[in-house]
């Protein structure tokens, strides 16, 4: 079984300040981990993914995430928030059990950016 | 370019009617998925398929069915629509372990 917990349902930051969106996961197998972003009334866009290579993963739009197995965490960060980053962010886990490709989503973190 | 398309984008239907939502992908992916998105719940898996003629139930499959007669399509059918099925539905596809997932643009379904 696998699960994802996004620790904050809503995060508010000022433009130009760092962003931290927290995610903890649980998986019985070596997981693949993803962050997706969803802008209002839009579909889901892949920000970045971890698939057992480098533990620090760089994504699009200046986002990055670090896989920490000991802490079962995969937090998303960005050094400086931009107004266009305001969106909902989903942390997602996919199990590596042979033949299992299902995604399990966290409940999302809504990021607000204050000008 | 390869893509995954959902239709219709918006649908209003009455309680008790049968509704089918279409999902078509040109990635040639074996794996296809249907999710529903509801406020406070994130996305939840409804059904999924790992290949032609393969279908499996997900977390919230009651009241839904799928069929996979070819690689490109995984239509989602609501046998008898209920107000609780008012939601935004997303289709996704994937090539296998370690690969990203591509999502369609979603179908907003309202059951009145």
């Amino acid at each position: 079984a696998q699960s994802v917990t996004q620790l904050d349902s809503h995060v508010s930051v000022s433009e130009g300040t760092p962003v931290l969106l927290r995610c903890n996961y649980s998986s019985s197998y070596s997981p693949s981990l993803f962050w997706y972003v969803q802008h209002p009334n839009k579909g889901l866009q892949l920000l970045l993914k971890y698939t057992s290579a480098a533990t620090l993963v760089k994504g699009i739009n200046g986002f990055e995430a670090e896989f920490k197995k000991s802490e079962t965490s995969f937090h998303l960060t960005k050094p400086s928030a931009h107004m266009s980053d305001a969106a909902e962010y989903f942390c997602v886990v996919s199990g590596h059990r042979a033949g299992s490709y299902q995604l399990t989503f966290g409940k999302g973190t809504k990021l607000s950016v204050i000008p | 370019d390869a893509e995954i398309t959902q239709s219709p984008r918006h649908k209003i239907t009455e309680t008790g009617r049968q509704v089918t939502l279409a999902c078509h992908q040109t990635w040639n992916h074996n794996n296809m998925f249907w999710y529903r998105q509801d406020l406070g719940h994130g996305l939840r898996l409804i059904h999924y398929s790992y290949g032609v003629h393969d279908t499996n139930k997900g977390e919230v499959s009651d009241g839904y069915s799928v069929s996979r007669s070819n690689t490109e399509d995984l239509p989602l059918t609501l046998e008898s629509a209920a107000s609780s099925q008012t939601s935004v539905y997303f289709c996704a596809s994937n090539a296998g372990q370690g690969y990203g997932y591509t999502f369609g643009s979603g179908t907003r379904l309202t059951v009145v």
Side-chain angles (χ1 to χ4, degrees):
Chain A
Q2 56 196 31
S3 65
V4 175
T5 302
Q6 292 185 241
L7 299 170
D8 306 290
S9 59
H10 192 187
V11 170
S12 184
V13 300
S14 297
E15 190 175 19
T17 65
V19 175
L20 170 64
L21 305 184
R22 298 181 296 165
C23 172
N24 288 123
Y25 71 92
S26 172
S27 177
S28 302
Y29 305 90
S30 297
S32 292
L33 293 158
F34 308 82
W35 276 98
Y36 280 85
V37 61
Q38 185 180 32
H39 288 89
N41 299 312
K42 299 291 186 183
L44 292 124
Q45 181 183 18
L46 178 66
L47 272 180
L48 49 83
K49 64 177 180 178
Y50 165 78
T51 55
S52 76
T55 57
L56 182 62
V57 181
K58 293 187 184 299
I60 62 172
N61 300 334
F63 285 94
E64 62 182 38
E66 186 172 7
F67 174 72
K68 292 187 176 180
K69 186 175 181 179
S70 61
E71 299 176 9
T72 61
S73 69
F74 190 59
H75 302 334
L76 181 71
T77 60
K78 183 175 181 178
S80 176
H82 191 273
M83 293 299 295
S84 60
D85 295 328
E88 188 151 25
Y89 293 79
F90 293 95
C91 182
V92 184
V93 63
S94 175
H96 266 200
R97 177 171 64 88
S100 171
Y101 309 112
Q102 305 159 40
L103 298 178
T104 300
F105 282 76
K107 293 187 176 181
T109 298
K110 185 176 182 180
L111 176 66
S112 298
V113 182
I114 303 166
Chain B
D1 288 346
E3 59 182 0
I4 180 166
T5 56
Q6 293 183 235
S7 61
R9 290 297 308 274
H10 301 273
K11 173 79 175 177
I12 301 174
T13 192
E14 295 178 343
T15 302
R17 289 195 179 266
Q18 183 181 82
V19 177
T20 297
L21 310 183
C23 176
H24 178 82
Q25 53 98 1
T26 57
W27 290 97
N28 200 34
H29 287 164
N30 283 326
N31 307 327
M32 295 184 72
F33 308 83
W34 274 104
Y35 291 85
R36 60 177 287 174
Q37 183 177 26
D38 304 287
L39 200 62
H41 291 278
L43 278 81
R44 293 178 291 174
L45 182 64
I46 305 171
H47 280 285
Y48 58 100
S49 168
Y50 290 158
V52 176
H53 303 310
D54 175 75
T55 61
N56 306 278
K57 294 182 178 181
E59 178 187 358
V60 290
S61 61
D62 287 349
Y64 303 93
S65 63
V66 293
S67 61
R68 187 90 180 270
S69 58
N70 58 51
T71 300
E72 295 80 18
D73 299 290
L74 187 70
L76 177 72
T77 298
L78 287 68
E79 304 294 343
S80 177
S83 58
S84 61
Q85 294 176 310
T86 292
S87 186
V88 180
Y89 292 85
F90 286 98
C91 180
S93 71
N94 148 273
Q97 283 182 356
Y99 291 89
Y101 292 71
T102 303
F103 284 84
S105 299
T107 294
R108 183 176 295 274
L109 177 68
T110 303
V111 182
V112 297

